[in-house]
Amino acid sequence: MTGSSYRQAAQSLEKLVGYACMSHETIRQLIVEAEVVEHREMEKKSRVFFIEADGLYVKRQRSRIKGKEEKIVTIHQGWEKNGKRVSLVNRRYYVHQTNEPIWEAVENFLIKEYGYDPLEDWVVINGDGAPWITACRDYFGQRGCFQLDRFHVARDIRQWFRHHPRYRAIRKALASQDEEGLLRELTSAVGTLGDEEKEQQLQAFVRRIEELPGCLRDYRIWLQEKGIETTNMRAMGSAEGTMHVFAKRSKNGRSWRDAGIDAMLRAMVAIKDTLPIRTRRGVMCHVEEREETKRETIVKKAMKRIPSRVKEVIRNNIPYFRQSSGTPIYEALQALKGF
C-alpha cells in the first residue's frame, strides 16, 4: 500500500505464488472497503504539542476539477534519541477528510487521542504560508505559536540571492532565527535583484513575514516565557519529509477518484500509526511499517546512481553496440531489452 501501484502489487503477488491470484482492481476494492479503527488513546507526555502541517496536491479522475489539496498534519510531543537516530515522541498522523474547519478538527483529534486541554496545553505549529495553515494563529490564539517552515524559506532565499553579495548575511540571520535582522536584510535588498519576477516574489515574502509577527522567531523562547522547559527540544521542519512519504504513493503521474485517495491515505496512516484495519471479511489486522535497514539504504542509493553511470561504463567498450541497426546481433539485443 505504501510503495507500488495496484498493478505492480498484483504482479508481485503473481511472482510470489506462481499464478495470477488477484487482479489490480481487486486490490483496489479491498483497500477502498477496508475500515480503519482510527482511535488509539495516547499517553500525554507533556503540556506541549508540536504540529507539522502541509498540503498534498493530488490529481483527480473524471472530475470537473483537475486536482485537490489533501491537508495532512503530523502531531508529536517532542524528540528522543535512539542511538544516532532521533525519533518523534507520541507521533500520530491526521488527514483532514471531514467538512468541519481544519483546526477545529485537529483540536478535536488532540482532545480525543491525547487528552489535550485547550486551557492548559500549548501548541506549536510549523508550516508554509498557505492561508489554511496560518489560520491556526486565529484559532489557537495565545495558546499557539506559528512557525514559518524553514525549508521553504531557505529554498526561496537561495533562489533569489544565490549569487547576491548579501546572501551570506541573509543566511546568517535566518540560521540564528533573528527575525528582525532578516527583515532588515531582505528589505534593504529590495530593488537589487535585477529581475522583476524575483523582486515581486521578494516583496510578497517580506509582507508575509510582517503580517505574521514571530513566525521566524525561535519557538523555544516563546515556551520559556511560559515557564516550559525546552532543553531537549529541536528545530521544527519535518513537514516536507512527511509529504514526500505520502507523495511517493499518491503522485508520480497517478490520478484518483475521491473514494480511492481517501481510502489510500487512511490505510497509509493506519500502517504508520499501527492502527487496526478491518478487512472485507471482518478480520482485524495490524500492519506495522518496517524500518529500512542500513544495508537496504545503501543499496537503494547505489541503484539510483546506476542509470547515470552505466552509459559511461559501456560507451565504446562493447563492440556489438557500435554496429549498425540492421545486423542480427543488434536485433537480438533489442529483443532482450527489459530482461
Side-chain angles (χ1 to χ4, degrees):
M1 283 188 289
T2 59
S4 58
S5 67
Y6 297 133
R7 291 185 185 276
Q8 290 171 321
Q11 290 167 4
S12 297
L13 284 172
E14 183 177 353
K15 289 179 181 178
L16 182 65
V17 301
Y19 63 95
C21 61
M22 192 176 293
S23 69
H24 69 276
E25 178 59 23
T26 300
I27 295 173
R28 188 188 77 83
Q29 286 295 334
L30 287 171
I31 292 177
V32 170
E33 294 174 12
E35 179 185 350
V36 176
V37 180
E38 298 179 353
H39 178 59
R40 178 164 69 88
E41 191 172 342
M42 309 292 290
E43 179 187 356
K44 187 162 72 172
K45 300 287 187 179
S46 69
R47 293 171 55 203
V48 181
F49 290 87
F50 299 94
I51 298 176
E52 304 268 4
D54 206 349
L56 178 69
Y57 183 83
V58 179
K59 294 180 181 178
R60 288 301 196 267
Q61 293 178 355
R62 307 170 195 170
S63 173
R64 289 181 288 105
I65 59 173
K66 291 184 177 180
K68 180 182 174 184
E69 184 182 42
E70 303 293 339
K71 299 178 177 67
I72 302 177
V73 165
T74 307
I75 301 167
H76 64 92
Q77 287 207 278
W79 299 260
E80 62 181 2
K81 291 198 72 174
N82 297 316
K84 293 183 179 180
R85 293 191 174 188
V86 176
S87 58
L88 303 179
V89 177
N90 267 6
R91 186 208 66 189
R92 292 287 300 275
Y93 291 101
Y94 172 78
V95 179
H96 188 51
Q97 296 179 335
T98 67
N99 293 324
E100 60 186 325
I102 173 66
W103 293 112
E104 181 180 335
V106 170
E107 185 177 54
N108 288 336
F109 182 86
L110 288 171
I111 293 170
K112 179 181 177 183
E113 303 298 308
Y114 291 90
Y116 165 80
D117 186 340
L119 300 178
E120 295 292 332
D121 297 332
W122 307 94
V123 180
V124 182
I125 304 101
N126 182 76
D128 61 23
W132 72 266
I133 296 179
T134 57
C136 69
R137 290 166 55 90
D138 292 330
Y139 187 83
F140 288 105
Q142 295 182 352
R143 307 298 303 183
C145 174
F146 171 71
Q147 297 268 280
L148 197 58
D149 188 68
R150 295 171 64 81
F151 171 85
H152 293 91
V153 175
R155 181 195 61 191
D156 291 342
I157 286 175
R158 184 170 59 252
Q159 291 175 348
W160 300 328
F161 294 100
R162 183 177 298 172
H163 304 295
H164 195 279
R166 305 190 74 90
Y167 184 39
R168 186 173 181 180
I170 291 171
R171 287 182 61 191
K172 185 177 179 180
L174 177 64
S176 61
Q177 296 182 291
D178 179 5
E179 185 175 312
E180 293 181 358
L182 178 63
L183 262 178
R184 283 196 302 270
E185 292 290 344
L186 294 176
T187 303
S188 64
V190 172
T192 65
L193 296 182
D195 184 296
E196 185 176 350
E197 184 179 356
K198 288 183 178 180
E199 288 287 352
Q200 292 176 354
Q201 292 173 349
L202 174 59
Q203 292 175 26
F205 179 66
V206 170
R207 286 196 299 271
R208 184 192 302 173
I209 297 176
E210 291 174 339
E211 291 168 358
L212 301 170
C215 65
L216 292 174
R217 182 191 183 197
D218 190 339
Y219 75 87
R220 287 166 288 198
I221 297 175
W222 177 77
L223 286 175
Q224 288 167 6
E225 292 171 352
K226 313 299 180 186
I228 303 296
E229 175 60 46
T230 62
T231 302
N232 296 319
M233 295 182 183
R234 305 165 66 93
M236 297 181 70
S238 66
E240 198 65 25
T242 299
M243 286 305 104
H244 175 74
V245 172
F246 285 93
K248 185 178 178 181
R249 181 59 184 85
S250 60
K251 295 174 80 72
N252 295 326
R254 301 185 181 105
S255 57
W256 300 79
R257 299 292 294 272
D258 285 345
I261 188 60
D262 287 351
M264 177 56 71
L265 292 176
R266 283 197 300 271
M268 290 183 69
V269 168
I271 292 172
K272 293 182 174 302
D273 287 354
T274 62
L275 300 173
I277 302 175
R278 183 178 287 111
T279 65
R280 176 188 289 180
R281 296 182 178 180
V283 178
M284 298 293 290
C285 61
H286 287 79
V287 183
E288 293 192 13
E289 187 177 26
R290 187 178 68 85
E291 287 193 11
E292 194 175 72
T293 66
K294 185 176 181 181
R295 181 185 180 88
E296 288 172 333
T297 303
I298 294 172
V299 171
K300 186 179 289 185
K301 288 182 179 179
M303 291 294 288
K304 287 182 179 178
R305 293 195 295 267
I306 287 175
S308 61
R309 295 187 178 184
V310 69
K311 292 181 181 179
E312 298 299 324
V313 173
I314 67 173
R315 181 175 289 134
N316 296 325
N317 290 329
I318 303 179
Y320 284 127
F321 287 166
R322 298 201 297 272
Q323 295 191 19
S324 63
S325 60
T327 60
I329 189 64
Y330 178 89
E331 306 221 348
L333 290 171
Q334 280 290 99
L336 289 171
K337 187 186 291 185
F339 281 85

